[in-house]
Amino acid sequence: MKISRSTHIGLKPETVWAEVQTARLLQHIAWPLVHFVPVGEAAFDRFRPGERNEVKLRLLGIIPFGTQWIVTSQHEAAGTEWPKRLRDDGYSHLITRWDHWITVAPDRSGGTHYTDEVEVSAGLLTPLIWSFAKIFYWHRQRRWRELAKSLSARRVIAAEMAAYRSAEALGNHDLAWRHLERVHIIAQPFWGLHLASHGAMLAFAIRQRDWSEALGQIFRLLLAPIGALTGKLPIGNTGRSTVSAFQPMPIPPDLLELLQDGIGE
């Protein structure tokens, strides 16, 4: 039995194609319906042509559902750059065929036209597995669209957090704080990332025994949900207790430039 579902993703096709080849994307868009646990010591990070990756399936993150082989290959239309296609011709003891094709192509309206096509076969259980797959791919594409809104921000945040940890390890606390401030500026429009940025600041303040800053971060953790619900966020605010929690501030030009990378027009 087959399923085909398409959607628009507000990112450049090159960005989408790079992401679909990563295990981190699979984990993110499948959560919380399915979590994949690599079998063996080495965790896989990318889906390379010709590779076979065995994973344990956890429904809702906790319910064991056997193991699955992910068997990937890449395909392009002859003589053209697009569309690009990634195939997972997977299977398990329960599901004898899970032939999944991802097609990535430029969308005429800008961004990316993204399609999931899958054929499933599981004997008498095929209708049940097919029904689950319909829900699963609807969920995956919804998660993809949401992730697209914050993907550029997440990349910048990851780089800034790495720089923060390096500065802290070297004992350069002023520089470490500057990187955390930059994380907050980028994270502020995104509910989960915003809370995580204040959590990182709180943990750093506690390690420094800066109790005034720690109290300020607790206050901002309590305040952040109100800002998210009302939409009244002080753009550019560094998130520190040394500035008003309600004061908008200029966004550093280099951060604005970094955020444009990967956004589909």
Side-chain angles (χ1 to χ4, degrees):
M1 299 181 72
K2 296 181 178 180
I3 296 165
S4 180
R5 178 180 290 274
S6 298
T7 192
H8 173 85
I9 297 178
L11 294 170
K12 296 177 182 178
E14 295 85 356
T15 301
V16 173
W17 178 245
E19 286 296 317
V20 299
Q21 298 174 63
T22 66
R24 68 172 179 269
L25 176 79
L26 173 63
Q27 296 282 27
H28 182 89
I29 63 177
W31 181 263
L33 288 184
V34 179
H35 180 59
F36 302 89
V37 182
V39 174
E41 296 180 359
F44 65 99
D45 61 343
R46 298 189 64 81
F47 299 115
R48 298 175 178 85
E51 279 193 348
R52 292 159 47 89
N53 296 285
E54 188 179 14
V55 295
K56 298 177 183 177
L57 303 181
R58 295 288 186 269
L59 300 184
L60 303 177
I62 56 174
I63 303 172
F65 195 67
T67 61
Q68 175 95 5
W69 282 99
I70 299 175
V71 185
T72 52
S73 56
Q74 294 181 11
H75 305 263
E76 295 184 18
T80 63
E81 183 181 4
W82 302 101
K84 297 183 187 293
R85 306 187 77 194
L86 181 71
R87 182 187 189 187
D88 168 22
D89 193 12
Y91 60 92
S92 67
H93 294 298
L94 178 63
I95 303 171
T96 56
R97 187 173 195 187
W98 186 282
D99 191 5
H100 176 213
W101 290 78
I102 294 173
T103 303
V104 175
D107 196 303
R108 292 181 180 179
S109 62
T112 298
H113 184 76
Y114 176 95
T115 300
D116 286 306
E117 298 172 280
V118 62
E119 182 175 358
V120 298
S121 180
L124 294 176
L125 293 177
T126 298
L128 179 63
I129 299 299
W130 176 84
S131 298
F132 172 78
K134 287 198 70 173
I135 296 170
F136 181 56
Y137 283 102
W138 170 83
H139 170 77
R140 280 173 49 123
Q141 291 191 2
R142 181 183 63 83
R143 292 273 290 173
W144 228 134
R145 292 191 298 270
E146 288 300 313
L147 177 63
K149 299 175 185 177
S150 64
L151 184 60
S152 294
R154 289 173 184 273
R155 288 176 169 177
V156 176
I157 288 170
E160 291 294 334
M161 287 298 294
Y164 148 70
R165 286 188 284 268
S166 295
E168 183 184 12
L170 293 171
N172 191 338
H173 293 163
D174 288 341
L175 180 59
W177 273 118
R178 283 199 292 275
H179 285 299
L180 284 178
E181 289 170 359
R182 287 164 64 86
V183 167
H184 179 269
I185 291 169
I186 297 300
Q188 199 173 198
F190 308 103
W191 162 254
L193 299 177
H194 188 192
L195 288 178
S197 73
H198 282 298
M201 286 184 170
L202 174 59
F204 189 39
I206 291 173
R207 288 197 296 274
Q208 288 189 288
R209 291 184 171 82
D210 186 343
W211 306 120
S212 174
E213 183 67 49
L215 287 173
Q217 291 307 316
I218 292 172
F219 170 70
R220 282 158 177 77
L221 278 167
L222 296 173
L223 194 64
I226 298 174
L229 289 172
T230 62
K232 296 180 178 179
L233 296 167
I235 301 302
N237 189 283
T238 62
R240 294 287 304 280
S241 66
T242 52
V243 301
S244 168
F246 307 99
Q247 179 184 345
M249 302 171 72
I251 299 176
D254 67 311
L255 287 183
L256 284 173
E257 184 177 349
L258 287 170
L259 284 176
Q260 295 305 312
D261 181 40
I263 298 177
E265 299 296 336

mmCIF file of all heavy atoms in Angstrom, residues 113-143:
data_model
loop_
_atom_site.group_PDB
_atom_site.id
_atom_site.type_symbol
_atom_site.label_atom_id
_atom_site.label_comp_id
_atom_site.label_asym_id
_atom_site.label_seq_id
_atom_site.Cartn_x
_atom_site.Cartn_y
_atom_site.Cartn_z
ATOM 1 N N HIS A 113 9.654 22.542 -2.692
ATOM 2 C CA HIS A 113 8.551 21.583 -2.793
ATOM 3 C C HIS A 113 9.089 20.237 -2.331
ATOM 4 O O HIS A 113 10.034 19.698 -2.908
ATOM 5 C CB HIS A 113 8.048 21.484 -4.233
ATOM 6 C CG HIS A 113 6.854 20.592 -4.376
ATOM 7 N ND1 HIS A 113 5.592 20.980 -3.984
ATOM 8 C CD2 HIS A 113 6.733 19.325 -4.859
ATOM 9 C CE1 HIS A 113 4.743 20.001 -4.229
ATOM 10 N NE2 HIS A 113 5.407 18.976 -4.745
ATOM 11 N N TYR A 114 8.483 19.711 -1.280
ATOM 12 C CA TYR A 114 9.000 18.520 -0.597
ATOM 13 C C TYR A 114 7.930 17.430 -0.627
ATOM 14 O O TYR A 114 6.757 17.682 -0.309
ATOM 15 C CB TYR A 114 9.345 18.891 0.850
ATOM 16 C CG TYR A 114 9.795 17.750 1.723
ATOM 17 C CD1 TYR A 114 11.148 17.481 1.898
ATOM 18 C CD2 TYR A 114 8.869 16.965 2.408
ATOM 19 C CE1 TYR A 114 11.571 16.454 2.720
ATOM 20 C CE2 TYR A 114 9.283 15.933 3.235
ATOM 21 C CZ TYR A 114 10.634 15.682 3.379
ATOM 22 O OH TYR A 114 11.046 14.650 4.201
ATOM 23 N N THR A 115 8.328 16.221 -1.012
ATOM 24 C CA THR A 115 7.371 15.115 -1.119
ATOM 25 C C THR A 115 7.901 13.868 -0.420
ATOM 26 O O THR A 115 9.077 13.511 -0.570
ATOM 27 C CB THR A 115 7.086 14.774 -2.596
ATOM 28 O OG1 THR A 115 6.545 15.922 -3.252
ATOM 29 C CG2 THR A 115 6.091 13.619 -2.710
ATOM 30 N N ASP A 116 7.038 13.229 0.353
ATOM 31 C CA ASP A 116 7.281 11.891 0.903
ATOM 32 C C ASP A 116 6.400 10.898 0.164
ATOM 33 O O ASP A 116 5.180 11.086 0.068
ATOM 34 C CB ASP A 116 6.915 11.833 2.394
ATOM 35 C CG ASP A 116 7.911 12.540 3.284
ATOM 36 O OD1 ASP A 116 9.106 12.231 3.211
ATOM 37 O OD2 ASP A 116 7.474 13.434 4.054
ATOM 38 N N GLU A 117 7.014 9.841 -0.374
ATOM 39 C CA GLU A 117 6.271 8.740 -0.970
ATOM 40 C C GLU A 117 6.762 7.455 -0.316
ATOM 41 O O GLU A 117 7.971 7.227 -0.228
ATOM 42 C CB GLU A 117 6.511 8.661 -2.473
ATOM 43 C CG GLU A 117 6.044 9.891 -3.245
ATOM 44 C CD GLU A 117 6.487 9.838 -4.690
ATOM 45 O OE1 GLU A 117 7.661 10.157 -4.950
ATOM 46 O OE2 GLU A 117 5.663 9.466 -5.537
ATOM 47 N N VAL A 118 5.842 6.634 0.135
ATOM 48 C CA VAL A 118 6.252 5.403 0.805
ATOM 49 C C VAL A 118 5.310 4.264 0.428
ATOM 50 O O VAL A 118 4.105 4.458 0.275
ATOM 51 C CB VAL A 118 6.279 5.593 2.346
ATOM 52 C CG1 VAL A 118 4.901 5.919 2.892
ATOM 53 C CG2 VAL A 118 6.861 4.376 3.043
ATOM 54 N N GLU A 119 5.905 3.100 0.239
ATOM 55 C CA GLU A 119 5.149 1.867 0.005
ATOM 56 C C GLU A 119 5.456 0.928 1.155
ATOM 57 O O GLU A 119 6.624 0.654 1.445
ATOM 58 C CB GLU A 119 5.519 1.227 -1.327
ATOM 59 C CG GLU A 119 4.708 -0.035 -1.631
ATOM 60 C CD GLU A 119 4.983 -0.604 -3.003
ATOM 61 O OE1 GLU A 119 5.788 0.011 -3.749
ATOM 62 O OE2 GLU A 119 4.410 -1.656 -3.330
ATOM 63 N N VAL A 120 4.419 0.441 1.822
ATOM 64 C CA VAL A 120 4.609 -0.425 2.977
ATOM 65 C C VAL A 120 3.987 -1.784 2.715
ATOM 66 O O VAL A 120 2.975 -1.916 2.031
ATOM 67 C CB VAL A 120 3.998 0.186 4.267
ATOM 68 C CG1 VAL A 120 4.672 1.495 4.607
ATOM 69 C CG2 VAL A 120 2.497 0.383 4.125
ATOM 70 N N SER A 121 4.620 -2.797 3.288
ATOM 71 C CA SER A 121 4.097 -4.155 3.215
ATOM 72 C C SER A 121 4.434 -4.867 4.508
ATOM 73 O O SER A 121 5.597 -4.901 4.921
ATOM 74 C CB SER A 121 4.708 -4.896 2.020
ATOM 75 O OG SER A 121 4.193 -6.220 1.946
ATOM 76 N N ALA A 122 3.411 -5.421 5.156
ATOM 77 C CA ALA A 122 3.623 -6.105 6.432
ATOM 78 C C ALA A 122 2.626 -7.253 6.592
ATOM 79 O O ALA A 122 2.101 -7.496 7.687
ATOM 80 C CB ALA A 122 3.488 -5.126 7.592
ATOM 81 N N GLY A 123 2.369 -7.937 5.487
ATOM 82 C CA GLY A 123 1.449 -9.073 5.560
ATOM 83 C C GLY A 123 0.064 -8.643 5.995
ATOM 84 O O GLY A 123 -0.467 -7.628 5.527
ATOM 85 N N LEU A 124 -0.525 -9.392 6.923
ATOM 86 C CA LEU A 124 -1.861 -9.079 7.403
ATOM 87 C C LEU A 124 -1.924 -7.745 8.133
ATOM 88 O O LEU A 124 -2.992 -7.139 8.259
ATOM 89 C CB LEU A 124 -2.342 -10.202 8.330
ATOM 90 C CG LEU A 124 -2.570 -11.575 7.675
ATOM 91 C CD1 LEU A 124 -2.938 -12.605 8.729
ATOM 92 C CD2 LEU A 124 -3.658 -11.485 6.604
ATOM 93 N N LEU A 125 -0.779 -7.286 8.623
ATOM 94 C CA LEU A 125 -0.744 -6.013 9.354
ATOM 95 C C LEU A 125 -0.593 -4.803 8.430
ATOM 96 O O LEU A 125 -0.546 -3.666 8.914
ATOM 97 C CB LEU A 125 0.416 -6.018 10.355
ATOM 98 C CG LEU A 125 0.303 -6.995 11.524
ATOM 99 C CD1 LEU A 125 1.561 -6.921 12.379
ATOM 100 C CD2 LEU A 125 -0.915 -6.678 12.378
ATOM 101 N N THR A 126 -0.527 -5.022 7.120
ATOM 102 C CA THR A 126 -0.289 -3.918 6.185
ATOM 103 C C THR A 126 -1.289 -2.773 6.350
ATOM 104 O O THR A 126 -0.870 -1.604 6.422
ATOM 105 C CB THR A 126 -0.288 -4.426 4.731
ATOM 106 O OG1 THR A 126 0.783 -5.356 4.565
ATOM 107 C CG2 THR A 126 -0.100 -3.273 3.764
ATOM 108 N N PRO A 127 -2.595 -3.011 6.427
ATOM 109 C CA PRO A 127 -3.521 -1.878 6.592
ATOM 110 C C PRO A 127 -3.251 -1.078 7.868
ATOM 111 O O PRO A 127 -3.356 0.153 7.861
ATOM 112 C CB PRO A 127 -4.902 -2.552 6.639
ATOM 113 C CG PRO A 127 -4.710 -3.835 5.901
ATOM 114 C CD PRO A 127 -3.317 -4.290 6.247
ATOM 115 N N LEU A 128 -2.899 -1.776 8.946
ATOM 116 C CA LEU A 128 -2.608 -1.080 10.199
ATOM 117 C C LEU A 128 -1.336 -0.241 10.079
ATOM 118 O O LEU A 128 -1.307 0.933 10.489
ATOM 119 C CB LEU A 128 -2.467 -2.096 11.337
ATOM 120 C CG LEU A 128 -2.138 -1.519 12.719
ATOM 121 C CD1 LEU A 128 -3.261 -0.607 13.188
ATOM 122 C CD2 LEU A 128 -1.915 -2.654 13.724
ATOM 123 N N ILE A 129 -0.281 -0.827 9.506
ATOM 124 C CA ILE A 129 0.977 -0.096 9.332
ATOM 125 C C ILE A 129 0.783 1.077 8.376
ATOM 126 O O ILE A 129 1.314 2.168 8.586
ATOM 127 C CB ILE A 129 2.080 -1.037 8.811
ATOM 128 C CG1 ILE A 129 2.338 -2.178 9.810
ATOM 129 C CG2 ILE A 129 3.365 -0.272 8.541
ATOM 130 C CD1 ILE A 129 2.811 -1.723 11.165
ATOM 131 N N TRP A 130 -0.004 0.873 7.316
ATOM 132 C CA TRP A 130 -0.287 1.939 6.357
ATOM 133 C C TRP A 130 -1.016 3.097 7.039
ATOM 134 O O TRP A 130 -0.702 4.276 6.800
ATOM 135 C CB TRP A 130 -1.122 1.371 5.213
ATOM 136 C CG TRP A 130 -1.560 2.397 4.197
ATOM 137 C CD1 TRP A 130 -0.841 2.869 3.134
ATOM 138 C CD2 TRP A 130 -2.832 3.058 4.150
ATOM 139 N NE1 TRP A 130 -1.584 3.795 2.432
ATOM 140 C CE2 TRP A 130 -2.809 3.922 3.035
ATOM 141 C CE3 TRP A 130 -3.979 3.007 4.938
ATOM 142 C CZ2 TRP A 130 -3.895 4.732 2.696
ATOM 143 C CZ3 TRP A 130 -5.062 3.808 4.606
ATOM 144 C CH2 TRP A 130 -5.008 4.653 3.490
ATOM 145 N N SER A 131 -1.975 2.777 7.901
ATOM 146 C CA SER A 131 -2.715 3.821 8.620
ATOM 147 C C SER A 131 -1.781 4.617 9.532
ATOM 148 O O SER A 131 -1.870 5.849 9.612
ATOM 149 C CB SER A 131 -3.852 3.203 9.440
ATOM 150 O OG SER A 131 -4.779 2.548 8.599
ATOM 151 N N PHE A 132 -0.898 3.902 10.212
ATOM 152 C CA PHE A 132 0.080 4.588 11.058
ATOM 153 C C PHE A 132 1.000 5.467 10.211
ATOM 154 O O PHE A 132 1.308 6.607 10.585
ATOM 155 C CB PHE A 132 0.924 3.579 11.841
ATOM 156 C CG PHE A 132 2.069 4.217 12.585
ATOM 157 C CD1 PHE A 132 1.859 4.879 13.780
ATOM 158 C CD2 PHE A 132 3.361 4.167 12.061
ATOM 159 C CE1 PHE A 132 2.912 5.481 14.454
ATOM 160 C CE2 PHE A 132 4.415 4.767 12.730
ATOM 161 C CZ PHE A 132 4.196 5.429 13.923
ATOM 162 N N ALA A 133 1.430 4.950 9.048
ATOM 163 C CA ALA A 133 2.335 5.707 8.187
ATOM 164 C C ALA A 133 1.687 6.999 7.702
ATOM 165 O O ALA A 133 2.359 8.030 7.583
ATOM 166 C CB ALA A 133 2.773 4.848 7.006
ATOM 167 N N LYS A 134 0.390 6.975 7.429
ATOM 168 C CA LYS A 134 -0.288 8.199 7.000
ATOM 169 C C LYS A 134 -0.202 9.265 8.085
ATOM 170 O O LYS A 134 0.085 10.435 7.809
ATOM 171 C CB LYS A 134 -1.756 7.911 6.668
ATOM 172 C CG LYS A 134 -1.986 7.147 5.384
ATOM 173 C CD LYS A 134 -3.423 7.280 4.911
ATOM 174 C CE LYS A 134 -3.705 8.690 4.424
ATOM 175 N NZ LYS A 134 -5.049 8.795 3.805
ATOM 176 N N ILE A 135 -0.456 8.866 9.322
ATOM 177 C CA ILE A 135 -0.357 9.811 10.442
ATOM 178 C C ILE A 135 1.094 10.258 10.632
ATOM 179 O O ILE A 135 1.380 11.443 10.846
ATOM 180 C CB ILE A 135 -0.888 9.160 11.732
ATOM 181 C CG1 ILE A 135 -2.377 8.837 11.586
ATOM 182 C CG2 ILE A 135 -0.644 10.061 12.943
ATOM 183 C CD1 ILE A 135 -2.938 7.994 12.706
ATOM 184 N N PHE A 136 2.009 9.297 10.524
ATOM 185 C CA PHE A 136 3.434 9.559 10.756
ATOM 186 C C PHE A 136 3.976 10.596 9.771
ATOM 187 O O PHE A 136 4.661 11.549 10.164
ATOM 188 C CB PHE A 136 4.204 8.247 10.641
ATOM 189 C CG PHE A 136 5.681 8.361 10.887
ATOM 190 C CD1 PHE A 136 6.166 8.899 12.060
ATOM 191 C CD2 PHE A 136 6.593 7.916 9.931
ATOM 192 C CE1 PHE A 136 7.535 8.998 12.293
ATOM 193 C CE2 PHE A 136 7.959 8.002 10.151
ATOM 194 C CZ PHE A 136 8.432 8.551 11.339
ATOM 195 N N TYR A 137 3.639 10.457 8.481
ATOM 196 C CA TYR A 137 4.185 11.396 7.490
ATOM 197 C C TYR A 137 3.483 12.744 7.527
ATOM 198 O O TYR A 137 4.086 13.771 7.221
ATOM 199 C CB TYR A 137 4.172 10.772 6.095
ATOM 200 C CG TYR A 137 5.304 9.786 5.963
ATOM 201 C CD1 TYR A 137 5.084 8.415 6.056
ATOM 202 C CD2 TYR A 137 6.616 10.230 5.827
ATOM 203 C CE1 TYR A 137 6.133 7.515 5.991
ATOM 204 C CE2 TYR A 137 7.674 9.337 5.758
ATOM 205 C CZ TYR A 137 7.427 7.988 5.841
ATOM 206 O OH TYR A 137 8.474 7.099 5.794
ATOM 207 N N TRP A 138 2.207 12.769 7.914
ATOM 208 C CA TRP A 138 1.564 14.056 8.179
ATOM 209 C C TRP A 138 2.287 14.771 9.313
ATOM 210 O O TRP A 138 2.582 15.968 9.234
ATOM 211 C CB TRP A 138 0.097 13.846 8.546
ATOM 212 C CG TRP A 138 -0.549 15.099 9.067
ATOM 213 C CD1 TRP A 138 -1.083 16.122 8.328
ATOM 214 C CD2 TRP A 138 -0.710 15.471 10.447
ATOM 215 N NE1 TRP A 138 -1.552 17.114 9.161
ATOM 216 C CE2 TRP A 138 -1.335 16.734 10.464
ATOM 217 C CE3 TRP A 138 -0.368 14.862 11.657
ATOM 218 C CZ2 TRP A 138 -1.654 17.395 11.650
ATOM 219 C CZ3 TRP A 138 -0.666 15.516 12.843
ATOM 220 C CH2 TRP A 138 -1.305 16.770 12.831
ATOM 221 N N HIS A 139 2.592 14.023 10.384
ATOM 222 C CA HIS A 139 3.290 14.581 11.542
ATOM 223 C C HIS A 139 4.686 15.051 11.163
ATOM 224 O O HIS A 139 5.114 16.148 11.539
ATOM 225 C CB HIS A 139 3.367 13.511 12.635
ATOM 226 C CG HIS A 139 4.262 13.860 13.780
ATOM 227 N ND1 HIS A 139 3.890 14.738 14.772
ATOM 228 C CD2 HIS A 139 5.527 13.440 14.079
ATOM 229 C CE1 HIS A 139 4.883 14.847 15.645
ATOM 230 N NE2 HIS A 139 5.880 14.084 15.244
ATOM 231 N N ARG A 140 5.423 14.238 10.406
ATOM 232 C CA ARG A 140 6.782 14.593 9.993
ATOM 233 C C ARG A 140 6.804 15.899 9.207
ATOM 234 O O ARG A 140 7.650 16.773 9.452
ATOM 235 C CB ARG A 140 7.381 13.474 9.136
ATOM 236 C CG ARG A 140 7.922 12.292 9.902
ATOM 237 C CD ARG A 140 8.340 11.185 8.949
ATOM 238 N NE ARG A 140 9.183 11.658 7.854
ATOM 239 C CZ ARG A 140 10.404 11.175 7.581
ATOM 240 N NH1 ARG A 140 10.907 10.213 8.340
ATOM 241 N NH2 ARG A 140 11.085 11.619 6.564
ATOM 242 N N GLN A 141 5.892 16.045 8.257
ATOM 243 C CA GLN A 141 5.892 17.260 7.440
ATOM 244 C C GLN A 141 5.479 18.477 8.252
ATOM 245 O O GLN A 141 6.002 19.586 8.034
ATOM 246 C CB GLN A 141 4.995 17.062 6.221
ATOM 247 C CG GLN A 141 5.571 16.062 5.233
ATOM 248 C CD GLN A 141 4.844 16.034 3.910
ATOM 249 O OE1 GLN A 141 3.906 16.802 3.675
ATOM 250 N NE2 GLN A 141 5.258 15.147 3.015
ATOM 251 N N ARG A 142 4.571 18.298 9.190
ATOM 252 C CA ARG A 142 4.215 19.412 10.068
ATOM 253 C C ARG A 142 5.414 19.851 10.892
ATOM 254 O O ARG A 142 5.700 21.046 11.028
ATOM 255 C CB ARG A 142 3.062 19.005 10.997
ATOM 256 C CG ARG A 142 2.598 20.112 11.938
ATOM 257 C CD ARG A 142 1.517 19.613 12.873
ATOM 258 N NE ARG A 142 2.009 18.551 13.738
ATOM 259 C CZ ARG A 142 2.674 18.772 14.871
ATOM 260 N NH1 ARG A 142 2.929 20.010 15.279
ATOM 261 N NH2 ARG A 142 3.071 17.758 15.615
ATOM 262 N N ARG A 143 6.142 18.885 11.434
ATOM 263 C CA ARG A 143 7.345 19.197 12.210
ATOM 264 C C ARG A 143 8.414 19.854 11.329
ATOM 265 O O ARG A 143 9.123 20.753 11.762
ATOM 266 C CB ARG A 143 7.896 17.911 12.831
ATOM 267 C CG ARG A 143 7.032 17.303 13.912
ATOM 268 C CD ARG A 143 7.323 17.870 15.268
ATOM 269 N NE ARG A 143 8.627 17.431 15.755
ATOM 270 C CZ ARG A 143 9.184 17.891 16.880
ATOM 271 N NH1 ARG A 143 8.563 18.808 17.602
ATOM 272 N NH2 ARG A 143 10.373 17.442 17.278
#
